[in-house]
Amino acid sequence: MGARPGRDARGPLAGLLIAALASAACAVGGVAEPEGDRPAPNPSAASPGPSTTRADSTTSVAEFEQDVADAQAVAERYWAAQFKASGQRFQPIRRITPYQRAGEVSCGGQALPRNNAVYCSQGDFIAYDIAWSVAAFRQVGDAFVFYLLGHEYAHGIQVRLGINYSFTIQQELQADCMAGAYLGDSVRSGALSLAEGDLDEFREGVAAVGDDPDQPWFAEGSHGTSEQRTESFFRGYERSLGACDLG
Ligand SMILES: [Zn+2]
């Protein structure tokens, strides 16, 4: 998977920027609600082990960082264009911050645990456990980084649009749809190019972050089952934002 540099393309962002997601907290409306300790995507669902690479990816941390930077650049360009088209000003998410230790980053006074990624509305930033995110990248492939970043970025867009559902699962499935739209539209516009296997990586990655089947849909922190998350993501991917109930 690769980003095609546009005229405004930046070089590699300094250091370790950004990134991604996970099945974890993703709280909107302020609370980073650690769902922590959720294992990275199920190894049985995500085929290649750390020693195997997808055709278009390596498993190096440098490659991961470049994918994060590319995903951020593509997301910013995408959402800026969407806002502009509807006559609104767009403010990119302020920062994307990797962390290594529990408590190194806080959101609204709440320390973020390991094995997590989150959009924090207080502070308007995305934070992610780098070791955990790199492990997910190695398991699933590079497309997963674009999905993760897109999902967390979508939470920042929801806040900008004033969207705040009663149940977290609604907020989460909409974020999956928006992540799908950002990716599908970016592929259609030529901003992103897919390599062989990337669609399968999306499928595996989204399915791997589904809730346990016995988790009630209405529970605080529910994101949706693998089936629900896959359906939402591909609905957005194939039909764009109009399929995401943005109102
Ligand atoms: Zn989320």
Side-chain angles (χ1 to χ4, degrees), residues 55-97:
D56 64 327
S57 64
T58 69
T59 56
S60 72
V61 172
E63 178 79 8
F64 168 81
E65 290 166 5
Q66 184 59 54
D67 285 340
V68 168
D70 286 348
Q72 179 186 23
V74 172
E76 287 179 358
R77 223 176 296 151
Y78 177 72
W79 289 110
Q82 302 305 315
F83 276 59
K84 190 176 176 191
S86 53
Q88 297 176 63
R89 219 175 120 257
F90 175 67
Q91 196 68 48
I93 286 179
R94 195 166 297 153
R95 67 198 154 86
I96 302 184
T97 306

mmCIF file of all heavy atoms in Angstrom, residues 55-97:
data_model
loop_
_atom_site.group_PDB
_atom_site.id
_atom_site.type_symbol
_atom_site.label_atom_id
_atom_site.label_comp_id
_atom_site.label_asym_id
_atom_site.label_seq_id
_atom_site.Cartn_x
_atom_site.Cartn_y
_atom_site.Cartn_z
ATOM 1 N N ALA A 55 3.496 -8.939 0.498
ATOM 2 C CA ALA A 55 4.254 -8.640 -0.710
ATOM 3 C C ALA A 55 4.796 -7.214 -0.730
ATOM 4 O O ALA A 55 5.895 -6.972 -1.181
ATOM 5 C CB ALA A 55 3.368 -8.859 -1.914
ATOM 6 N N ASP A 56 4.025 -6.273 -0.222
ATOM 7 C CA ASP A 56 4.452 -4.894 -0.375
ATOM 8 C C ASP A 56 4.952 -4.288 0.918
ATOM 9 O O ASP A 56 5.087 -3.101 1.036
ATOM 10 C CB ASP A 56 3.290 -4.051 -0.899
ATOM 11 C CG ASP A 56 2.151 -3.999 0.097
ATOM 12 O OD1 ASP A 56 1.950 -5.001 0.808
ATOM 13 O OD2 ASP A 56 1.495 -2.966 0.177
ATOM 14 N N SER A 57 5.194 -5.089 1.897
ATOM 15 C CA SER A 57 5.587 -4.467 3.145
ATOM 16 C C SER A 57 6.770 -5.168 3.770
ATOM 17 O O SER A 57 7.013 -6.344 3.561
ATOM 18 C CB SER A 57 4.414 -4.490 4.120
ATOM 19 O OG SER A 57 4.089 -5.827 4.429
ATOM 20 N N THR A 58 7.497 -4.423 4.533
ATOM 21 C CA THR A 58 8.498 -5.038 5.370
ATOM 22 C C THR A 58 7.922 -4.975 6.766
ATOM 23 O O THR A 58 6.839 -4.467 6.975
ATOM 24 C CB THR A 58 9.822 -4.262 5.341
ATOM 25 O OG1 THR A 58 9.616 -3.020 6.007
ATOM 26 C CG2 THR A 58 10.268 -4.031 3.928
ATOM 27 N N THR A 59 8.641 -5.476 7.716
ATOM 28 C CA THR A 59 8.109 -5.431 9.068
ATOM 29 C C THR A 59 8.953 -4.512 9.948
ATOM 30 O O THR A 59 8.894 -4.576 11.152
ATOM 31 C CB THR A 59 8.093 -6.837 9.692
ATOM 32 O OG1 THR A 59 9.418 -7.367 9.646
ATOM 33 C CG2 THR A 59 7.148 -7.736 8.923
ATOM 34 N N SER A 60 9.728 -3.652 9.342
ATOM 35 C CA SER A 60 10.585 -2.799 10.154
ATOM 36 C C SER A 60 9.795 -1.676 10.810
ATOM 37 O O SER A 60 8.748 -1.260 10.337
ATOM 38 C CB SER A 60 11.699 -2.203 9.302
ATOM 39 O OG SER A 60 11.167 -1.215 8.446
ATOM 40 N N VAL A 61 10.354 -1.209 11.914
ATOM 41 C CA VAL A 61 9.722 -0.085 12.591
ATOM 42 C C VAL A 61 9.747 1.146 11.694
ATOM 43 O O VAL A 61 8.802 1.938 11.668
ATOM 44 C CB VAL A 61 10.432 0.188 13.944
ATOM 45 C CG1 VAL A 61 9.901 1.479 14.578
ATOM 46 C CG2 VAL A 61 10.194 -0.985 14.893
ATOM 47 N N ALA A 62 10.809 1.291 10.927
ATOM 48 C CA ALA A 62 10.877 2.445 10.015
ATOM 49 C C ALA A 62 9.739 2.401 8.996
ATOM 50 O O ALA A 62 9.125 3.429 8.683
ATOM 51 C CB ALA A 62 12.224 2.466 9.292
ATOM 52 N N GLU A 63 9.430 1.208 8.529
ATOM 53 C CA GLU A 63 8.335 1.064 7.573
ATOM 54 C C GLU A 63 7.001 1.395 8.247
ATOM 55 O O GLU A 63 6.142 2.061 7.678
ATOM 56 C CB GLU A 63 8.308 -0.375 7.052
ATOM 57 C CG GLU A 63 7.189 -0.680 6.088
ATOM 58 C CD GLU A 63 7.470 -0.194 4.682
ATOM 59 O OE1 GLU A 63 8.601 0.245 4.409
ATOM 60 O OE2 GLU A 63 6.547 -0.252 3.860
ATOM 61 N N PHE A 64 6.856 0.928 9.450
ATOM 62 C CA PHE A 64 5.650 1.238 10.220
ATOM 63 C C PHE A 64 5.488 2.751 10.374
ATOM 64 O O PHE A 64 4.414 3.306 10.150
ATOM 65 C CB PHE A 64 5.739 0.569 11.600
ATOM 66 C CG PHE A 64 4.698 1.041 12.573
ATOM 67 C CD1 PHE A 64 3.416 0.532 12.542
ATOM 68 C CD2 PHE A 64 5.013 2.013 13.524
ATOM 69 C CE1 PHE A 64 2.451 0.979 13.443
ATOM 70 C CE2 PHE A 64 4.054 2.466 14.415
ATOM 71 C CZ PHE A 64 2.769 1.937 14.381
ATOM 72 N N GLU A 65 6.580 3.396 10.747
ATOM 73 C CA GLU A 65 6.514 4.846 10.955
ATOM 74 C C GLU A 65 6.165 5.577 9.664
ATOM 75 O O GLU A 65 5.411 6.549 9.670
ATOM 76 C CB GLU A 65 7.863 5.366 11.477
ATOM 77 C CG GLU A 65 8.133 4.916 12.891
ATOM 78 C CD GLU A 65 9.597 5.128 13.284
ATOM 79 O OE1 GLU A 65 10.357 5.711 12.487
ATOM 80 O OE2 GLU A 65 9.946 4.704 14.394
ATOM 81 N N GLN A 66 6.719 5.085 8.574
ATOM 82 C CA GLN A 66 6.409 5.725 7.299
ATOM 83 C C GLN A 66 4.937 5.513 6.948
ATOM 84 O O GLN A 66 4.273 6.426 6.448
ATOM 85 C CB GLN A 66 7.304 5.153 6.185
ATOM 86 C CG GLN A 66 7.111 5.847 4.847
ATOM 87 C CD GLN A 66 7.398 7.343 4.936
ATOM 88 O OE1 GLN A 66 8.475 7.754 5.382
ATOM 89 N NE2 GLN A 66 6.434 8.175 4.553
ATOM 90 N N ASP A 67 4.411 4.335 7.236
ATOM 91 C CA ASP A 67 2.997 4.084 6.955
ATOM 92 C C ASP A 67 2.100 4.973 7.814
ATOM 93 O O ASP A 67 1.074 5.468 7.362
ATOM 94 C CB ASP A 67 2.654 2.608 7.185
ATOM 95 C CG ASP A 67 3.181 1.718 6.061
ATOM 96 O OD1 ASP A 67 3.464 2.235 4.967
ATOM 97 O OD2 ASP A 67 3.309 0.505 6.288
ATOM 98 N N VAL A 68 2.482 5.150 9.045
ATOM 99 C CA VAL A 68 1.708 6.028 9.924
ATOM 100 C C VAL A 68 1.708 7.456 9.381
ATOM 101 O O VAL A 68 0.671 8.116 9.306
ATOM 102 C CB VAL A 68 2.287 6.010 11.360
ATOM 103 C CG1 VAL A 68 1.669 7.123 12.192
ATOM 104 C CG2 VAL A 68 1.999 4.662 12.007
ATOM 105 N N ALA A 69 2.886 7.910 8.989
ATOM 106 C CA ALA A 69 2.986 9.272 8.452
ATOM 107 C C ALA A 69 2.178 9.410 7.169
ATOM 108 O O ALA A 69 1.475 10.410 6.959
ATOM 109 C CB ALA A 69 4.458 9.617 8.197
ATOM 110 N N ASP A 70 2.239 8.392 6.320
ATOM 111 C CA ASP A 70 1.470 8.423 5.071
ATOM 112 C C ASP A 70 -0.028 8.412 5.358
ATOM 113 O O ASP A 70 -0.800 9.142 4.744
ATOM 114 C CB ASP A 70 1.814 7.212 4.197
ATOM 115 C CG ASP A 70 3.189 7.325 3.543
ATOM 116 O OD1 ASP A 70 3.787 8.417 3.580
ATOM 117 O OD2 ASP A 70 3.659 6.307 3.005
ATOM 118 N N ALA A 71 -0.420 7.552 6.299
ATOM 119 C CA ALA A 71 -1.849 7.460 6.627
ATOM 120 C C ALA A 71 -2.352 8.788 7.175
ATOM 121 O O ALA A 71 -3.459 9.232 6.867
ATOM 122 C CB ALA A 71 -2.088 6.338 7.644
ATOM 123 N N GLN A 72 -1.541 9.436 7.997
ATOM 124 C CA GLN A 72 -1.938 10.740 8.541
ATOM 125 C C GLN A 72 -2.072 11.770 7.413
ATOM 126 O O GLN A 72 -3.050 12.510 7.358
ATOM 127 C CB GLN A 72 -0.894 11.219 9.549
ATOM 128 C CG GLN A 72 -1.257 12.594 10.123
ATOM 129 C CD GLN A 72 -0.163 13.159 11.025
ATOM 130 O OE1 GLN A 72 0.998 12.780 10.908
ATOM 131 N NE2 GLN A 72 -0.553 14.047 11.912
ATOM 132 N N ALA A 73 -1.084 11.796 6.527
ATOM 133 C CA ALA A 73 -1.115 12.780 5.440
ATOM 134 C C ALA A 73 -2.332 12.564 4.543
ATOM 135 O O ALA A 73 -3.021 13.518 4.159
ATOM 136 C CB ALA A 73 0.180 12.692 4.620
ATOM 137 N N VAL A 74 -2.614 11.308 4.240
ATOM 138 C CA VAL A 74 -3.762 11.014 3.367
ATOM 139 C C VAL A 74 -5.072 11.362 4.083
ATOM 140 O O VAL A 74 -5.991 11.929 3.488
ATOM 141 C CB VAL A 74 -3.746 9.529 2.924
ATOM 142 C CG1 VAL A 74 -5.026 9.163 2.179
ATOM 143 C CG2 VAL A 74 -2.535 9.266 2.031
ATOM 144 N N ALA A 75 -5.152 11.058 5.372
ATOM 145 C CA ALA A 75 -6.375 11.379 6.127
ATOM 146 C C ALA A 75 -6.580 12.887 6.206
ATOM 147 O O ALA A 75 -7.697 13.381 6.017
ATOM 148 C CB ALA A 75 -6.291 10.789 7.544
ATOM 149 N N GLU A 76 -5.529 13.616 6.461
ATOM 150 C CA GLU A 76 -5.669 15.079 6.547
ATOM 151 C C GLU A 76 -6.124 15.665 5.221
ATOM 152 O O GLU A 76 -6.993 16.530 5.168
ATOM 153 C CB GLU A 76 -4.340 15.719 6.969
ATOM 154 C CG GLU A 76 -4.030 15.479 8.436
ATOM 155 C CD GLU A 76 -2.694 16.091 8.863
ATOM 156 O OE1 GLU A 76 -1.986 16.679 7.998
ATOM 157 O OE2 GLU A 76 -2.361 15.970 10.065
ATOM 158 N N ARG A 77 -5.530 15.170 4.150
ATOM 159 C CA ARG A 77 -5.902 15.686 2.838
ATOM 160 C C ARG A 77 -7.358 15.334 2.527
ATOM 161 O O ARG A 77 -8.118 16.130 2.003
ATOM 162 C CB ARG A 77 -4.977 15.072 1.779
ATOM 163 C CG ARG A 77 -4.489 16.062 0.741
ATOM 164 C CD ARG A 77 -3.487 15.398 -0.211
ATOM 165 N NE ARG A 77 -2.282 14.984 0.488
ATOM 166 C CZ ARG A 77 -1.520 13.939 0.103
ATOM 167 N NH1 ARG A 77 -1.840 13.201 -0.933
ATOM 168 N NH2 ARG A 77 -0.429 13.642 0.782
ATOM 169 N N TYR A 78 -7.733 14.109 2.875
ATOM 170 C CA TYR A 78 -9.100 13.657 2.598
ATOM 171 C C TYR A 78 -10.126 14.477 3.355
ATOM 172 O O TYR A 78 -11.090 14.995 2.779
ATOM 173 C CB TYR A 78 -9.243 12.173 2.965
ATOM 174 C CG TYR A 78 -10.635 11.647 2.780
ATOM 175 C CD1 TYR A 78 -11.153 11.442 1.497
ATOM 176 C CD2 TYR A 78 -11.459 11.363 3.869
ATOM 177 C CE1 TYR A 78 -12.440 10.978 1.304
ATOM 178 C CE2 TYR A 78 -12.754 10.892 3.682
ATOM 179 C CZ TYR A 78 -13.238 10.703 2.403
ATOM 180 O OH TYR A 78 -14.515 10.244 2.225
ATOM 181 N N TRP A 79 -9.920 14.610 4.663
ATOM 182 C CA TRP A 79 -10.921 15.310 5.461
ATOM 183 C C TRP A 79 -10.932 16.810 5.175
ATOM 184 O O TRP A 79 -11.993 17.452 5.210
ATOM 185 C CB TRP A 79 -10.728 15.003 6.947
ATOM 186 C CG TRP A 79 -11.126 13.580 7.257
ATOM 187 C CD1 TRP A 79 -10.305 12.541 7.603
ATOM 188 C CD2 TRP A 79 -12.451 13.026 7.195
ATOM 189 N NE1 TRP A 79 -11.034 11.383 7.770
ATOM 190 C CE2 TRP A 79 -12.352 11.651 7.521
ATOM 191 C CE3 TRP A 79 -13.717 13.563 6.882
ATOM 192 C CZ2 TRP A 79 -13.471 10.806 7.552
ATOM 193 C CZ3 TRP A 79 -14.827 12.718 6.911
ATOM 194 C CH2 TRP A 79 -14.687 11.362 7.248
ATOM 195 N N ALA A 80 -9.786 17.359 4.853
ATOM 196 C CA ALA A 80 -9.753 18.784 4.488
ATOM 197 C C ALA A 80 -10.622 19.010 3.251
ATOM 198 O O ALA A 80 -11.387 19.973 3.177
ATOM 199 C CB ALA A 80 -8.314 19.235 4.228
ATOM 200 N N ALA A 81 -10.528 18.098 2.287
ATOM 201 C CA ALA A 81 -11.326 18.236 1.060
ATOM 202 C C ALA A 81 -12.815 18.078 1.349
ATOM 203 O O ALA A 81 -13.654 18.786 0.792
ATOM 204 C CB ALA A 81 -10.873 17.207 0.027
ATOM 205 N N GLN A 82 -13.155 17.137 2.251
ATOM 206 C CA GLN A 82 -14.580 16.941 2.586
ATOM 207 C C GLN A 82 -15.155 18.178 3.262
ATOM 208 O O GLN A 82 -16.270 18.606 2.977
ATOM 209 C CB GLN A 82 -14.763 15.735 3.522
ATOM 210 C CG GLN A 82 -14.247 14.413 2.980
ATOM 211 C CD GLN A 82 -14.827 14.072 1.633
ATOM 212 O OE1 GLN A 82 -16.022 14.191 1.398
ATOM 213 N NE2 GLN A 82 -13.976 13.664 0.715
ATOM 214 N N PHE A 83 -14.401 18.731 4.182
ATOM 215 C CA PHE A 83 -14.885 19.914 4.893
ATOM 216 C C PHE A 83 -15.000 21.099 3.934
ATOM 217 O O PHE A 83 -15.967 21.849 3.977
ATOM 218 C CB PHE A 83 -13.952 20.257 6.077
ATOM 219 C CG PHE A 83 -14.261 19.478 7.324
ATOM 220 C CD1 PHE A 83 -14.231 18.094 7.348
ATOM 221 C CD2 PHE A 83 -14.600 20.143 8.506
ATOM 222 C CE1 PHE A 83 -14.533 17.370 8.507
ATOM 223 C CE2 PHE A 83 -14.902 19.438 9.674
ATOM 224 C CZ PHE A 83 -14.857 18.046 9.673
ATOM 225 N N LYS A 84 -14.005 21.237 3.092
ATOM 226 C CA LYS A 84 -14.018 22.346 2.150
ATOM 227 C C LYS A 84 -15.239 22.256 1.242
ATOM 228 O O LYS A 84 -15.910 23.243 0.958
ATOM 229 C CB LYS A 84 -12.732 22.324 1.313
ATOM 230 C CG LYS A 84 -12.541 23.557 0.466
ATOM 231 C CD LYS A 84 -11.192 23.510 -0.253
ATOM 232 C CE LYS A 84 -11.061 24.720 -1.187
ATOM 233 N NZ LYS A 84 -9.918 24.585 -2.092
ATOM 234 N N ALA A 85 -15.540 21.033 0.811
ATOM 235 C CA ALA A 85 -16.677 20.844 -0.090
ATOM 236 C C ALA A 85 -17.991 21.236 0.570
ATOM 237 O O ALA A 85 -18.954 21.599 -0.094
ATOM 238 C CB ALA A 85 -16.732 19.382 -0.550
ATOM 239 N N SER A 86 -18.034 21.160 1.897
ATOM 240 C CA SER A 86 -19.273 21.570 2.557
ATOM 241 C C SER A 86 -19.116 22.946 3.205
ATOM 242 O O SER A 86 -19.907 23.333 4.061
ATOM 243 C CB SER A 86 -19.708 20.510 3.578
ATOM 244 O OG SER A 86 -18.658 20.222 4.458
ATOM 245 N N GLY A 87 -18.099 23.664 2.771
ATOM 246 C CA GLY A 87 -17.954 25.042 3.207
ATOM 247 C C GLY A 87 -17.522 25.220 4.651
ATOM 248 O O GLY A 87 -17.739 26.271 5.252
ATOM 249 N N GLN A 88 -16.903 24.193 5.205
ATOM 250 C CA GLN A 88 -16.462 24.323 6.597
ATOM 251 C C GLN A 88 -14.944 24.341 6.689
ATOM 252 O O GLN A 88 -14.262 23.775 5.859
ATOM 253 C CB GLN A 88 -16.973 23.132 7.421
ATOM 254 C CG GLN A 88 -18.481 23.038 7.499
ATOM 255 C CD GLN A 88 -18.896 21.773 8.247
ATOM 256 O OE1 GLN A 88 -18.591 21.611 9.417
ATOM 257 N NE2 GLN A 88 -19.574 20.875 7.546
ATOM 258 N N ARG A 89 -14.490 24.987 7.724
ATOM 259 C CA ARG A 89 -13.057 25.038 7.966
ATOM 260 C C ARG A 89 -12.626 23.731 8.615
ATOM 261 O O ARG A 89 -13.345 23.194 9.450
ATOM 262 C CB ARG A 89 -12.761 26.191 8.918
ATOM 263 C CG ARG A 89 -11.511 26.940 8.566
ATOM 264 C CD ARG A 89 -11.332 28.160 9.475
ATOM 265 N NE ARG A 89 -10.074 28.043 10.197
ATOM 266 C CZ ARG A 89 -9.983 27.675 11.470
ATOM 267 N NH1 ARG A 89 -11.052 27.402 12.179
ATOM 268 N NH2 ARG A 89 -8.801 27.600 12.049
ATOM 269 N N PHE A 90 -11.478 23.250 8.232
ATOM 270 C CA PHE A 90 -10.997 21.993 8.802
ATOM 271 C C PHE A 90 -9.729 22.217 9.611
ATOM 272 O O PHE A 90 -8.784 22.833 9.153
ATOM 273 C CB PHE A 90 -10.695 20.982 7.689
ATOM 274 C CG PHE A 90 -10.077 19.711 8.199
ATOM 275 C CD1 PHE A 90 -10.813 18.847 9.009
ATOM 276 C CD2 PHE A 90 -8.773 19.380 7.886
ATOM 277 C CE1 PHE A 90 -10.247 17.674 9.503
ATOM 278 C CE2 PHE A 90 -8.194 18.204 8.362
ATOM 279 C CZ PHE A 90 -8.943 17.355 9.165
ATOM 280 N N GLN A 91 -9.754 21.693 10.807
ATOM 281 C CA GLN A 91 -8.583 21.747 11.666
ATOM 282 C C GLN A 91 -8.078 20.320 11.817
ATOM 283 O O GLN A 91 -8.799 19.475 12.369
ATOM 284 C CB GLN A 91 -9.039 22.303 13.022
ATOM 285 C CG GLN A 91 -7.947 22.797 13.917
ATOM 286 C CD GLN A 91 -7.282 24.041 13.367
ATOM 287 O OE1 GLN A 91 -7.957 24.966 12.974
ATOM 288 N NE2 GLN A 91 -5.962 24.022 13.317
ATOM 289 N N PRO A 92 -6.885 20.023 11.343
ATOM 290 C CA PRO A 92 -6.387 18.651 11.508
ATOM 291 C C PRO A 92 -6.250 18.278 12.981
ATOM 292 O O PRO A 92 -6.096 19.154 13.825
ATOM 293 C CB PRO A 92 -4.999 18.682 10.850
ATOM 294 C CG PRO A 92 -4.998 19.891 9.985
ATOM 295 C CD PRO A 92 -5.947 20.874 10.612
ATOM 296 N N ILE A 93 -6.309 17.016 13.260
ATOM 297 C CA ILE A 93 -6.058 16.555 14.631
ATOM 298 C C ILE A 93 -4.666 17.022 15.041
ATOM 299 O O ILE A 93 -3.717 16.938 14.269
ATOM 300 C CB ILE A 93 -6.193 15.014 14.707
ATOM 301 C CG1 ILE A 93 -7.683 14.662 14.621
ATOM 302 C CG2 ILE A 93 -5.558 14.466 15.983
ATOM 303 C CD1 ILE A 93 -7.981 13.178 14.667
ATOM 304 N N ARG A 94 -4.607 17.536 16.246
ATOM 305 C CA ARG A 94 -3.407 18.281 16.644
ATOM 306 C C ARG A 94 -2.123 17.458 16.636
ATOM 307 O O ARG A 94 -1.103 17.908 16.172
ATOM 308 C CB ARG A 94 -3.657 18.878 18.026
ATOM 309 C CG ARG A 94 -2.675 19.953 18.404
ATOM 310 C CD ARG A 94 -3.174 20.736 19.605
ATOM 311 N NE ARG A 94 -4.411 21.430 19.303
ATOM 312 C CZ ARG A 94 -5.334 21.749 20.220
ATOM 313 N NH1 ARG A 94 -5.161 21.416 21.478
ATOM 314 N NH2 ARG A 94 -6.421 22.394 19.863
ATOM 315 N N ARG A 95 -2.189 16.267 17.193
ATOM 316 C CA ARG A 95 -0.949 15.488 17.154
ATOM 317 C C ARG A 95 -1.253 14.003 17.281
ATOM 318 O O ARG A 95 -2.323 13.621 17.760
ATOM 319 C CB ARG A 95 0.049 15.958 18.223
ATOM 320 C CG ARG A 95 -0.355 15.701 19.625
ATOM 321 C CD ARG A 95 0.456 16.569 20.614
ATOM 322 N NE ARG A 95 -0.328 16.771 21.828
ATOM 323 C CZ ARG A 95 -0.347 15.924 22.837
ATOM 324 N NH1 ARG A 95 0.402 14.851 22.800
ATOM 325 N NH2 ARG A 95 -1.114 16.121 23.877
ATOM 326 N N ILE A 96 -0.296 13.236 16.871
ATOM 327 C CA ILE A 96 -0.400 11.786 16.955
ATOM 328 C C ILE A 96 0.853 11.315 17.680
ATOM 329 O O ILE A 96 1.962 11.560 17.227
ATOM 330 C CB ILE A 96 -0.550 11.173 15.559
ATOM 331 C CG1 ILE A 96 -1.804 11.783 14.910
ATOM 332 C CG2 ILE A 96 -0.645 9.668 15.649
ATOM 333 C CD1 ILE A 96 -2.174 11.237 13.574
ATOM 334 N N THR A 97 0.633 10.685 18.798
ATOM 335 C CA THR A 97 1.725 10.455 19.742
ATOM 336 C C THR A 97 1.906 8.989 20.098
ATOM 337 O O THR A 97 0.986 8.373 20.628
ATOM 338 C CB THR A 97 1.384 11.188 21.065
ATOM 339 O OG1 THR A 97 1.117 12.554 20.768
ATOM 340 C CG2 THR A 97 2.511 11.092 22.054
#
